[in-house]
Amino acid sequence: MDTPSFNRLGLAQPLLDALAEKSYSEPSPIQAAAIPILLEGRDLLACAQTGTGKTASFALPALNATSRIGKKPRPGEIRTLILTPTRELAVQVADSFKGYGSKMPFRVGLVHGGVSQHPQVRALKRGVDVLVATPGRLLDLDEQGHVDYSKINMFVLDEADRMLDMGFVEDIRQIAQHIPEERQTVMFSATMAPAITKLAGTLLRDPEGIRIAPDLTTAERVEQQLFYVKPNDRTSLLLSLLDEREDDDGLSIIFSKTRHHAEKLGKFLYREGYEADSIHGGKSQNARQRILNRFKDGKTRILIATDVAARGIDVKNIKLVINFDLPMEAENYVHRIGRTARAGDSGLALSFCGGNDGGLLKDIHKFIKSDIPVNEEHEYHCGETADKVGRFLQRGKGGSGSGGRGRRGPRNRGRRPEGGYQKKRSFRRNKARSSHRSS
Ligand code: AMP
C-alpha cells in the first residue's frame, strides 16, 4: 500500500516547506494514521513509541491549526498544551515544534522544574501558541496564578504510560479539569495498559484508536545480544566491548539501574580512559541539558543513564546500547534499545545477565515475545551463569518470575549491582583522554 505523501495530508505550506527542508519524504505510519484524524478535530488514543515519529504526528496538526488562525496569541493565552513526563522530553518536544514550525511565526513555551520559573512566567504572560510542560511545575505555576487554561483547544498527553508510572495521574486529572471541555484531546502511550485506557475513558471523547506496529518494530531493527556474565566480570566485559568498538564513530548509551551506579560507572570509565558522562534524576536540569547537548554534538561519546533520565532521548547516531543492568520493567528494555536504530537506522544492543537476573530476563522474553540471542563466544561468557539462569527460565514457564514486577519493592532499591565496579588489570587503559564531566 502506498504511504500518502505529506502533500496529500492537507498540511499548510509552511509545514510542507519545513518537512522538505528536513528531507522527510514520506510520513511514518503513525503520522499517516494520526495526522488526518487530528486535522479533522477528532480525539485520539495512539499506541506508539518514541522513534516512530510520533512527535510530528501531533506537532504538525497543532502547528497547522496555529497557521490557520494567523494571529498571535493574546497575553496569557495558551492554545495547545502538551504534557510530558520528563524535562528532557519536554525540551525535545519543544525543539521538534521549533523545527516543524521553522517556516511560520509561532510561539512555543517550555515549563519544567529544575530551572528558574521567571522566564517561564514571562512566556506565559506574553501568551504562547504551544506550551510544553511537565505536570509538577505547571501546577506550581498554576497555584501562583500564572496559568490561564481557558483558551486551550488542544491537549496532548505524550508518553502517558510513563506519566502514570511516575505517579502523575492526579496531576493530569487536576490539569485536565481546568481545560475547556470543547477541546481536542490526544493521548500517546507506548503501551495500552488498563490504567491508560481508564484514564483515556475519562479524558477523551469518542476517540479514534491507533496502534502502530507495536513494540517490536524498533526491536527488529536492532541486533540484540545477551551476555551471561559472572558478577566480578561485568566491568571487564563492559571495557572489552567498548574496546572492541573503539574505532566506531557512533555514540553509545550504557544503562544502569540507579543514579548512584550511573555516577560510579561514569567515573570508572573515565579512570579507564573513556570519556563518559552520566545523566540521571539527581542532576540539575541545566547540568542534564548540558550533558545531553555535549552527547548530541558528539563531544562525549558515551552516556551512562538511568531509565527515567533516558526516556525520550532522541539523539541520532547512537549505534550501541549496553544494558549493564537489565531493566526492572520489561517494557523499558524496548525503550532502551530503541535509543539506537532511530528513524530507520540499525543498531546494536548488548545486555548483561547475571545469575540472579533470571526473573528480569524472563519478563523481557515474554514482553518481546522472543529470546534475546546469547553471545557464547565472548571470553567473558560464563557457562555457570547461563546454566543457572537457564534452569530458572525452565522452571514454572509462563510465570512472571521472582525478578518481575514483584521485585520493584524497597528490597531492591539502591542495591549494589552484582560485583560492584571491580577493575580488571588487563583492560586498564593507559591512554589519557579528555576530561570527565559528570555534572
Ligand atoms: P519521534 O518518535 O517523534 O521521537 O521521532 C523519531 C525521529 O524520527 C526523530 O529524529 C524525527 O526527527 C525523525 N522523523 C520523524 N518523522 C520522520 C519522517 N517522516 N521521515 C524521517 N524522519 C522522521
Side-chain angles (χ1 to χ4, degrees):
M1 194 186 74
D2 265 357
T3 322
S5 91
F6 281 111
N7 298 19
R8 281 159 44 195
L9 293 175
L11 294 166
Q13 194 58 43
L15 298 174
L16 296 177
D17 292 345
L19 292 167
E21 195 171 273
K22 281 178 163 288
S23 309
Y24 292 3
S25 49
E26 293 290 325
S28 69
I30 182 74
Q31 292 160 3
I35 291 172
I37 295 169
L38 295 182
L39 289 180
E40 266 180 37
R42 302 276 317 266
D43 281 7
L44 174 68
L45 175 59
C47 185
Q49 304 193 326
T50 42
T52 55
K54 69 178 168 62
T55 317
S57 63
F58 58 82
L60 293 170
L63 289 166
N64 201 65
T66 296
S67 87
R68 297 247 179 277
I69 296 172
K71 276 191 284 191
K72 277 192 244 165
R74 291 175 194 281
E77 188 171 341
I78 303 169
R79 289 173 174 164
T80 296
L81 173 63
I82 294 155
L83 291 183
T84 70
T86 63
R87 303 156 184 185
E88 281 80 9
L89 185 60
V91 171
Q92 200 176 290
V93 168
D95 283 348
S96 297
F97 267 91
K98 286 178 197 158
Y100 299 128
S102 62
K103 306 284 178 201
M104 57 179 269
F106 84 105
R107 287 189 215 145
V108 57
L110 191 55
V111 158
H112 57 69
V115 292
S116 159
Q117 70 167 50
H118 299 302
Q120 302 177 354
V121 171
R122 268 201 304 278
L124 288 172
K125 279 212 170 91
R126 255 184 103 211
V128 290
D129 292 289
V130 177
L131 183 70
V132 189
T134 52
R137 174 60 68 91
L138 185 65
L139 284 174
D140 275 358
L141 297 183
D142 181 27
E143 274 164 27
Q144 299 169 45
H146 297 303
V147 185
D148 175 1
Y149 298 98
S150 67
K151 304 288 186 310
I152 295 175
N153 48 38
M154 187 178 191
F155 178 36
V156 181
L157 292 151
D158 194 12
E159 301 199 353
D161 53 330
R162 172 55 43 150
M163 285 201 266
L164 295 195
D165 283 352
M166 290 170 75
F168 287 140
V169 69
E170 277 317 310
D171 292 356
I172 293 171
R173 284 188 204 284
Q174 208 177 321
I175 291 164
Q177 262 175 14
H178 297 296
I179 305 176
E181 280 186 16
E182 291 309 309
R183 63 175 189 240
Q184 183 175 29
T185 309
V186 185
M187 244 172 97
F188 278 84
S189 175
T191 59
M192 274 305 140
I196 292 290
T197 31
K198 190 170 160 211
L199 181 67
T202 62
L203 298 182
L204 308 185
R205 280 196 309 188
D206 188 21
E208 286 276 351
I210 302 179
R211 185 180 277 267
I212 288 298
D215 308 318
L216 300 185
T217 40
T218 314
E220 277 160 8
R221 286 201 307 272
V222 180
E223 184 192 336
Q224 302 166 63
Q225 292 180 20
L226 187 78
F227 294 81
Y228 286 115
V229 62
K230 270 204 270 248
N232 288 346
D233 283 347
R234 272 187 197 242
T235 47
S236 308
L237 172 61
L238 176 65
L239 283 180
S240 92
L241 294 172
L242 292 175
D243 284 346
E244 284 165 21
R245 284 160 193 81
E246 202 176 5
D247 297 329
D248 288 1
D249 57 357
L251 306 176
S252 308
I253 292 200
I254 301 168
F255 282 96
S256 133
K257 64 179 157 196
T258 65
R259 299 168 179 191
H260 176 64
H261 293 138
E263 195 66 25
K264 224 168 153 184
L265 203 48
K267 288 185 179 141
F268 165 75
L269 284 179
Y270 172 65
R271 284 200 306 277
E272 294 295 338
Y274 278 99
E275 190 179 2
D277 268 335
S278 59
I279 188 165
H280 51 72
K283 290 191 171 172
S284 75
Q285 177 56 25
N286 287 339
R288 279 154 71 168
Q289 203 54 55
R290 223 170 26 243
I291 289 167
L292 209 51
N293 290 343
R294 287 177 47 75
F295 185 59
K296 274 186 182 161
D297 295 344
K299 290 181 183 148
T300 314
R301 311 200 73 81
I302 300 175
L303 191 67
I304 300 142
T306 55
D307 281 311
V308 168
R311 179 76 180 237
I313 289 179
D314 178 22
V315 176
K316 293 199 174 73
N317 203 24
I318 295 176
K319 296 273 173 61
L320 175 66
V321 170
I322 296 184
N323 290 316
F324 188 86
D325 301 303
L326 289 180
M328 300 301 276
E329 290 179 56
E331 69 180 71
N332 278 341
Y333 176 76
V334 177
H335 293 307
R336 286 178 177 194
I337 72 172
R339 298 308 97 204
T340 177
R342 306 298 276 178
D345 284 352
S346 57
L348 181 64
L350 310 176
S351 302
F352 297 3
C353 181
N356 296 325
D357 292 339
L360 300 177
L361 185 63
K362 190 175 200 163
D363 283 354
I364 292 169
H365 285 171
K366 218 166 128 188
F367 189 77
I368 65 173
K369 300 188 181 72
S370 66
D371 292 0
I372 309 172
V374 179
N375 183 330
E376 294 181 351
E377 307 303 317
H378 202 278
E379 61 177 308
Y380 287 106
H381 170 72
C382 173
E384 244 172 76
T385 306
D387 290 345
K388 185 174 174 197
V389 175
R391 280 195 301 277
F392 183 92
L393 295 179
Q394 285 311 313
R395 237 186 291 143
K397 270 198 162 218
S400 146
S402 65
R405 287 169 185 268
R407 271 179 79 179
R408 278 183 298 160
R411 191 159 67 88
N412 272 296
R413 251 175 242 146
R415 248 177 45 179
R416 292 179 72 236
E418 281 181 293
Y421 295 96
Q422 187 192 322
K423 275 185 270 176
K424 220 177 193 176
R425 291 290 118 182
S426 57
F427 285 102
R428 260 192 85 81
R429 313 180 60 79
N430 42 24
K431 269 185 276 173
R433 294 190 203 155
S434 35
S435 65
H436 172 68
R437 291 168 187 82
S438 71
S439 61

